[in-house]
């Protein structure tokens, strides 16, 4: 719900709104429109105002709790139920390419069934010219594993990326490569990542 600056000023601190906070699952919080345009000031669990205001996504601001709950269910399904690992993609990019991404995940998983340490993939957009496919290895906790093929935004190379990922995994899912990655992570934690 996009609100004009003039309408915003009329609504500031006049009524409670429902807002979906998108982090580790969409959680509905109550609050008010803050004095600063396009900022939301949430209430804590005791009904007191938080000391901060936060920028907001207009798609996640509701007057009606039922509509907020419907959107929360949709986002939770999109980000936390359809894929094995949460995708790190903007909603529009994810929803408009959902079927292709699910196809990629399924194809890779099916072709790596004989690799017991393979623990799925996730998709990430870090402005690297496309969407990266990142692997998860059962012996590497908290970090992705292996090279990350990049799917172009138009998906013209997605089949090539599936093949590249599978080939990479088959080459790198071995004791020597896994131990090397573990040492690299240990050194990064100990001395920093620079």
């Amino acid at each position: 719900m996009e609100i004009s600056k003039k309408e915003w000023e009329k609504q500031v601190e006049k009524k409670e709104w429902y807002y979906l906070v998108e982090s580790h699952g969409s959680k509905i919080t109550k609050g008010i429109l803050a004095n600063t345009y396009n900022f939301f000031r949430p209430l804590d669990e005791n009904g007191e105002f938080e000391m901060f205001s936060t920028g907001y996504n207009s798609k996640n601001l509701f007057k009606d709790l039922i509509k907020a709950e419907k959107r929360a269910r949709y986002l939770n399904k999109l980000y936390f139920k359809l894929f094995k690992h949460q995708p790190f993609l903007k909603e529009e990019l994810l929803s408009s390419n959902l079927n292709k991404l699910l196809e990629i995940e399924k194809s890779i998983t099916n072709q790596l069934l004989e690799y017991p340490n393979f623990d799925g993939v996730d998709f990430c957009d870090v402005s690297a010219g496309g969407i990266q496919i990142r692997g998860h290895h059962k012996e590497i906790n908290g970090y992705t594993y292996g090279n990350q093929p990049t799917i172009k935004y138009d998906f013209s190379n997605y089949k090539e990326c599936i093949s590249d990922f599978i080939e990479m995994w088959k080459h790198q899912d071995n004791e020597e490569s896994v131990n090397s990655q573990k040492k690299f992570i240990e050194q990064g934690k100990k001395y920093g990542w620079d």
Side-chain angles (χ1 to χ4, degrees), residues 10-60:
K10 289 181 192 175
Q11 296 290 334
V12 167
E13 299 189 15
K14 292 210 172 146
K15 72 173 286 245
E16 290 182 356
W17 292 72
Y18 298 99
Y19 184 67
L20 271 66
V21 180
E22 293 180 54
S23 60
H24 306 294
S26 295
K27 182 180 105 180
I28 299 170
T29 186
K30 286 167 74 172
I32 61 169
L33 304 184
N35 287 326
T36 305
Y37 181 53
N38 280 342
F39 275 76
F40 180 80
R41 188 168 180 202
L43 297 169
D44 65 19
E45 54 273 349
N46 299 322
E48 301 291 324
F49 286 113
E50 295 284 4
M51 296 301 295
F52 62 90
S53 295
T54 182
Y56 84 105
N57 176 344
S58 62
K59 291 181 179 180
N60 294 339

Side-chain angles (χ1 to χ4, degrees), residues 59 74 78-79 83 87-102 123-132 151-155:
K59 291 181 179 180
Y74 166 75
L78 186 63
Y79 282 96
F83 296 92
F88 297 94
L89 304 173
K90 290 184 179 175
E91 179 188 349
E92 184 178 319
L93 182 61
L94 177 56
S95 61
S96 64
N97 296 291
L98 183 60
N99 290 335
K100 283 274 193 253
L101 293 166
L102 289 168
F123 300 99
C124 183
D125 182 6
V126 291
S127 302
I131 301 166
Q132 294 178 312
I151 305 162
K152 293 178 183 176
Y153 289 119
D154 67 1
F155 280 74

Side-chain angles (χ1 to χ4, degrees), residues 108-124:
I108 290 171
T109 301
N110 287 341
Q111 293 183 62
L112 292 176
L113 289 173
E114 63 192 54
Y115 289 81
N117 287 320
F118 176 70
D119 194 29
V121 296
D122 73 35
F123 300 99
C124 183

Side-chain angles (χ1 to χ4, degrees), residues 149-160:
T150 301
I151 305 162
K152 293 178 183 176
Y153 289 119
D154 67 1
F155 280 74
S156 61
N157 70 331
Y158 85 96
K159 288 184 180 179
E160 179 184 321

